[in-house]
Amino acid sequence: TYSAAGNAHGRFVFHIGGERLSGESTDTGGWDKYERRKVGKVKITDKKCSVSVQATSITGKFLWNLRTVYLTPLPVARSGLKAKP
């Protein structure tokens, strides 16, 4: 969940366990207008892992105002069926 406005734009990468997810910040309509955006999926195999975020480029004056990072488990596949995203 983040907010960004006007001259806020850039790219970022999340490091989760041994995985990487990259994305791009976009205008949410104001610094007080937070939006939840999906970045992608990772497979976490360890019971404990670290999560970090890093700006890889800032093409505006700011990247964003990051509020929350959500990690949501996906359903586990059963009987040979694949998990639905």
Side-chain angles (χ1 to χ4, degrees):
T1 303
Y2 72 88
S3 66
N7 57 357
H9 189 264
R11 298 197 56 77
F12 57 89
V13 63
F14 280 100
H15 299 274
I16 304 171
E19 304 271 344
R20 289 173 44 112
L21 293 173
S22 58
E24 185 173 353
S25 67
T26 57
D27 191 335
T28 62
W31 289 109
D32 60 339
K33 302 206 183 311
Y34 287 86
E35 292 186 8
R36 189 171 177 175
R37 306 270 174 97
K38 290 184 181 182
V39 178
K41 298 177 187 177
V42 295
K43 184 174 183 177
I44 300 173
T45 56
D46 296 334
K47 290 184 179 182
K48 292 183 179 182
C49 72
S50 62
V51 177
S52 65
V53 63
Q54 174 183 8
T56 54
S57 70
I58 299 176
T59 53
K61 189 171 181 182
F62 307 98
L63 179 60
W64 58 13
N65 186 14
L66 182 63
R67 177 184 271 178
T68 310
V69 175
Y70 295 96
L71 299 177
T72 306
L74 294 174
V76 177
R78 295 183 190 177
S79 304
L81 299 175
K82 295 185 178 182
K84 296 180 181 178

